[in-house]
Amino acid sequence: MTSKTAVLGAVETLAADPLLFGGAVVLLYLFRPLVLWPTTLVAVAVGYGFGIALGFPVALAGAVLTSVPAFYAGRWVAAGWNCGVVARLATAGSRFFDATGDFRGVVAGRLAPVPADAVSAAAGMGNVRLRVLAGGVLLGELPWTMAAVVLGNSFHTISTAGLGGVGTRLGVITTLAAMVLLAGPAYEHLVESRRSVGNRSQ
């Protein structure tokens, strides 16, 4: 069963039994990377069943733990197929994290509305350390996770249009935050590129 609507419907049924719901949440986080669901979808379910006080730390921990498989997959691919497209992706990932710094790069990637697994895989390919990934995910996922848990907790009063509106506004805010984080490294890269061009023309 991979339909998001079906999963959220099942969550409503399971939420009446805390123990059963806890087991379902563990399964959701384990299988999430396999079906490429966004982490916020599971966080909405967690907020619905656990509420805000318990749901927020559970969802945040889940976001970190569920980023590990994609991280190691990226590292394994980069080490095992160091040629062609994979080599170019690994090089691009390394350059990105060299320019931004590992922690800032992960935070910016998780703040931006891009697939979480792509960011984790890129971190693995870019030789980011696991603890740096975990810290970056914790910080970068804070606004997304809090919003998703709050929405899940209030799911019975929020219309579909309301969910979409909140998601759009949050996406704009987190994208701007990611741009601010990357502005410094981007400027330094531009200055360095111009300096290199100037040196070659002399």
Side-chain angles (χ1 to χ4, degrees), residues 101-188:
D102 291 352
F103 182 73
R104 178 161 47 179
V106 174
V107 172
R110 297 304 285 252
L111 279 172
V114 297
D117 293 317
V119 176
S120 300
M125 296 179 84
N127 291 316
V128 173
R129 288 172 296 178
L130 180 60
R131 66 174 179 270
V132 174
L133 173 81
V137 171
L138 271 175
L139 186 57
E141 287 288 336
L142 274 173
W144 291 109
T145 302
M146 177 55 80
V149 169
V150 169
L151 288 174
N153 186 58
S154 307
F155 201 75
H156 60 282
T157 59
I158 298 175
S159 66
T160 303
L163 282 169
V166 172
T168 300
R169 289 193 294 273
L170 183 63
V172 170
I173 292 168
T174 54
T175 299
L176 288 173
M179 290 172 66
V180 169
L181 278 174
L182 296 176
Y187 177 75
E188 291 173 8

Side-chain angles (χ1 to χ4, degrees), residues 32-43:
R32 186 210 63 78
L34 299 177
V35 292
L36 301 179
W37 288 334
T39 55
T40 48
L41 175 68
V42 187

